[in-house]
Amino acid sequence: TNHIKNGILLRADIHTLFDLDLLKIDENYSIHIDKSIDDKEYMKLDGKSIRLPINPDYVPSKEAITQRFEYKKP
């Protein structure tokens, strides 16, 4: 749905990696970069946490994050 808790604002190149499942975010909001990425700048993000909104009403849903993290493309 288009609920605010079901979205994460990402830079265009990061969004592309996310769409390709080369960048994932886990239930603790930690970033995981696929081992196939050899770009040092992207690899610097591996293990870092995303910055969360100050307002808890806008924090991404852990349920949605977990569902996306565990999703395997057919």
Side-chain angles (χ1 to χ4, degrees):
T1 66
N2 286 333
H3 192 277
I4 196 158
K5 291 176 105 19
N6 200 26
I8 299 175
L9 182 62
L10 299 172
R11 197 173 69 197
D13 58 329
I14 301 295
H15 193 164
T16 299
L17 292 176
F18 185 77
D19 284 346
L20 295 171
D21 289 329
L22 296 173
L23 178 147
K24 292 187 170 198
I25 301 169
D26 69 21
E27 71 278 357
N28 296 312
Y29 305 108
S30 294
I31 300 167
H32 300 266
I33 302 292
D34 191 272
K35 304 296 182 219
S36 67
I37 301 293
D38 61 357
D39 186 292
K40 291 179 187 177
E41 292 304 311
Y42 291 130
M43 289 309 292
K44 286 180 184 179
L45 298 173
D46 194 48
K48 303 263 182 174
S49 294
I50 64 171
R51 203 172 336 160
L52 297 172
I54 294 170
N55 185 332
D57 292 335
Y58 301 151
V59 173
S61 159
K62 283 199 175 211
E63 181 181 337
I65 291 282
T66 300
Q67 188 175 28
R68 171 65 189 206
F69 186 78
E70 294 174 354
Y71 175 74
K72 303 283 186 212
K73 289 188 177 180

